[in-house]
Amino acid sequence: MYRTFISRLLLNYAAGSLLALIAIASLIAAAPLDIPPSEYAWLISILGLSLCCMLGLEWFVFTRQIKPIHSVFMEEVGSYQTLQNVYIRTHRLPSLAVKRILGPHLFGLVVPSAGLTLGLIHAGRLSIPPYYVLLAALGGMLVSGMHALVEYYLTSYAIRPVLEELIAWSRKMFGKELSLHGRVIVPVSRKLKWSFFLMSMAPLLLYSLSMQFRLEDYGHGVYTYWQWAGYILAVSIVFALIGSRLLAREIMLPIQHLYERMAEVKSGHIRTGASDLFSDEFSRLVSGFNHMLRGLQTQAALNSQLVDSYFATLAAALDARDPYTAGHSLRVAEYAVKIGELAHLSEERIDELRKSALLHDIGKIGIRDAVLLKEGRLTEEEWEQVKQHPVLGEAILKQVEPADAMAPYLPGVRSHHERYDGGGYPDGLSGEEISLFGRIIAVADAFDAMTSDRPYRKGLERDQAIEILEQGRGTQWDPYFAELFVQYYRRDNQSKESG
């Protein structure tokens, strides 16, 4: 990723330099220089030497600016503060790119080339007017400003993958968020002011400077004049189009990013906040949005705790009717969650599974104590009453509002006594016709029922219950979920024995 980032910066620089060279070429093409070839050779040599000086100076500045980022990606990260410092440094790269362009262009290109040219004019090697050197220097500074504007926006876009990578590293290594905390490095007003100024004035100033050359030469005719004017106009239009496109992207990206996060919150997904990838006032908006989101997350966590308490209380109230089944619902929920984790269900689905398992026997509230707590064998009529508790449980939960909030738990409650071979109740479903939660809870419920004491029998040993589960795979229980639980139990036993 770092190599891609560096490659993109170099490519951006090459693209900006190409635009600058085209602009400089327009100035050279505008100059009516009627000088011998030997003097052209001197000018080309001066330009070549100055370009080498500029590139060398710019590479030196670039390596110093990028050094902190290079050290983080190529060496071991020492601390969270190191990442935070590099994070801020990366945000500063667009502004540093402007300095990297303007400084070397001025002191590596404009000043040396102008000084050498004036020296050769003074020595009699060149016969061009010194006035032209001043115009060329002003033109070079103008083109540097155009190049710097393009480089700023290209760099601002290029650093975003790096910022995202640093944020991910900080979460993974230190469990902390990297953020500017609303800090503004470059205000939007400053970006807009300089962008509008350069996009509106640079073409005009470029034309005006070129016009100064043309005022010295009226002998090439109207056709040549309009040919030159059209060339200058084309260069100006290209710069204005590129600049306006980059400016629009700079403004629209944070708006789009916040809009997407708001859409996620609207749909109920409040776990991820907006990324702090912007160094202007949008950083404050991101910080405020994330602060609001943390408040919503805190409230959602409290609501979730209340709902969890509600489910656990209902399960405990149900289990309290029979001292022999105390804690049954909690244990079934624990086993069901373990099976869900082994099956790699999502975190959200596992939470729904746990709540469904807690309430799987809620329908027994509707069974008379004389039947539910009877110590002897049930009559056929009494057994039919007991078999209705999944249907009663579903009916009870359907009365809870809002109805859509309870919908995920209904299938597990209704179908946890269905058999995989179709011999269960209340609907006689088979195979994958049985709901996912129903198939999982059936395994967990059977294991706890077999290993729990009853008034009329003592609970089985866990190993015996596991053998029964294994034998009932594909007939009474879903073979996949039963096998997951059996294998987990045996691995757990082996680790305890070896420990």
Side-chain angles (χ1 to χ4, degrees):
M1 198 280 295
Y2 175 74
R3 286 194 296 270
T4 302
F5 168 63
I6 295 299
S7 299
R8 179 171 292 182
L9 288 184
L10 295 177
L11 183 62
N12 291 344
Y13 176 74
S17 297
L18 179 62
L19 182 64
L21 287 174
I22 292 174
I24 291 174
S26 68
L27 285 174
I28 295 175
L33 298 179
D34 189 13
I35 58 177
S38 59
E39 294 192 16
Y40 266 115
W42 278 112
L43 290 176
I44 292 173
S45 299
I46 291 172
L47 183 60
L49 181 63
S50 299
L51 282 173
C52 290
C53 180
M54 181 196 75
L55 290 173
L57 183 59
E58 191 154 355
W59 180 254
F60 172 76
V61 175
F62 175 76
T63 53
R64 287 181 62 85
Q65 290 179 351
I66 212 73
K67 185 177 180 181
I69 302 173
H70 176 274
S71 63
V72 164
F73 279 91
M74 296 304 173
E75 301 172 10
E76 186 176 351
V77 179
S79 64
Y80 168 77
Q81 190 58 46
T82 299
L83 271 185
Q84 178 69 18
N85 292 339
V86 172
Y87 179 76
I88 295 174
R89 178 73 168 194
T90 305
H91 269 292
R92 290 186 177 277
L93 272 186
S95 300
L96 294 174
V98 172
K99 297 178 180 179
R100 171 169 53 83
I101 296 297
L102 294 180
H105 275 60
L106 178 62
F107 297 106
L109 180 63
V110 175
V111 172
S113 59
L116 289 172
T117 302
L118 290 173
L120 290 175
I121 291 174
H122 182 73
R125 300 284 186 177
L126 294 175
S127 58
I128 61 175
Y131 178 64
Y132 280 9
V133 178
L134 176 61
L135 293 178
L138 293 175
M141 295 172 63
L142 177 62
V143 170
S144 297
M146 297 164 67
H147 185 186
L149 177 68
V150 172
E151 192 75 14
Y152 176 88
Y153 289 123
L154 291 176
T155 304
S156 178
Y157 187 74
I159 64 173
R160 279 161 191 168
V162 177
L163 294 172
E164 290 174 343
E165 186 77 4
L166 293 173
I167 291 171
W169 283 5
S170 180
R171 289 173 182 163
K172 182 178 180 180
M173 291 188 288
F174 306 107
K176 297 181 180 180
E177 290 286 340
L178 294 176
S179 174
L180 291 178
H181 303 292
R183 181 178 180 181
V184 176
I185 294 177
V186 180
V188 172
S189 59
R190 186 185 303 170
K191 286 195 286 190
L192 293 176
K193 179 173 63 180
W194 283 106
S195 298
F196 289 149
F197 174 78
L198 282 172
M199 283 189 288
S200 60
M201 295 302 297
L204 179 61
L205 294 174
L206 186 63
Y207 179 85
S208 299
L209 289 174
S210 301
M211 192 66 181
Q212 296 302 312
F213 288 114
R214 285 291 163 178
L215 288 175
E216 303 292 332
D217 180 30
Y218 294 100
H220 289 84
V222 175
Y223 175 77
T224 304
Y225 170 82
W226 282 112
Q227 187 179 33
W228 156 77
Y231 185 73
I232 297 295
L233 181 62
V235 171
S236 301
I237 290 174
V238 168
F239 170 71
L241 285 174
I242 293 175
S244 59
R245 183 179 179 84
L246 293 175
L247 175 61
R249 184 176 69 177
E250 180 77 5
I251 299 299
M252 287 306 300
L253 273 177
I255 294 175
Q256 183 65 26
H257 180 69
L258 284 170
Y259 178 79
E260 291 171 356
R261 299 291 83 76
M262 289 170 64
E264 289 180 0
V265 172
K266 186 177 179 181
S267 63
H269 300 287
I270 61 173
R271 294 180 178 244
T272 58
S275 299
D276 196 0
L277 306 176
F278 316 104
S279 56
D280 49 28
E281 281 81 357
F282 283 108
S283 174
R284 291 179 178 173
L285 289 178
V286 167
S287 179
F289 178 83
N290 287 338
H291 180 74
M292 176 194 71
L293 201 57
R294 284 192 292 273
L296 291 175
Q297 290 167 350
T298 300
Q299 187 61 47
L302 290 174
N303 291 339
S304 179
Q305 287 179 347
L306 287 173
V307 172
D308 286 348
S309 299
Y310 168 71
F311 277 69
T313 301
L314 281 178
L318 174 64
D319 292 345
R321 292 184 66 190
D322 183 359
Y324 286 98
T325 61
H328 169 70
S329 298
L330 292 174
R331 291 192 299 272
V332 170
E334 180 183 345
Y335 298 147
V337 165
K338 177 51 66 177
I339 295 172
E341 291 172 348
L342 294 170
H344 304 292
L345 299 185
S346 68
E347 185 177 339
E348 182 179 357
R349 292 290 280 166
I350 288 175
D351 183 62
E352 292 174 350
L353 172 61
R354 184 178 65 83
K355 292 173 181 174
S356 185
L358 282 172
L359 298 182
H360 75 285
D361 274 343
I362 193 68
K364 288 184 178 180
I365 289 176
I367 307 298
R368 291 181 296 111
D369 285 353
V371 175
L372 186 66
L373 306 180
K374 185 175 180 179
E375 296 187 4
R377 182 179 295 275
L378 299 176
T379 66
E380 185 175 343
E381 181 183 352
E382 290 170 340
W383 175 237
E384 288 300 322
Q385 292 181 37
V386 171
K387 286 169 63 176
Q388 289 302 306
H389 80 269
V391 178
L392 290 173
E394 181 188 44
I396 290 170
L397 294 182
K398 281 183 176 180
Q399 304 306 310
V400 180
E401 296 291 344
D404 58 342
M406 302 304 294
Y409 317 123
L410 301 182
V413 170
R414 184 180 181 93
S415 62
H416 70 277
H417 278 298
E418 301 285 359
R419 287 175 57 105
Y420 198 75
D421 59 8
Y425 61 87
D427 301 310
L429 303 178
S430 63
E432 295 192 5
E433 292 178 346
I434 307 170
S435 71
L436 173 69
F437 288 178
R439 284 176 281 147
I440 293 175
I441 295 172
V443 176
D445 184 38
F447 180 75
D448 188 70
M450 287 188 287
T451 55
S452 298
D453 292 334
R454 292 291 188 266
Y456 49 88
R457 66 160 174 83
K458 182 176 176 57
L460 299 177
E461 294 293 330
R462 287 175 166 247
D463 289 341
Q464 289 179 277
I466 287 295
E467 289 179 8
I468 294 174
L469 282 178
E470 190 169 28
Q471 293 168 5
R473 290 176 302 166
T475 54
Q476 184 166 353
W477 300 288
D478 184 297
Y480 175 65
F481 296 123
E483 179 66 16
L484 285 178
F485 189 73
V486 166
Q487 293 301 324
Y488 163 74
Y489 175 82
R490 287 177 174 164
R491 285 196 305 270
D492 190 52
N493 261 8
Q494 287 175 0
S495 63
K496 287 179 180 178
E497 290 173 1
S498 61

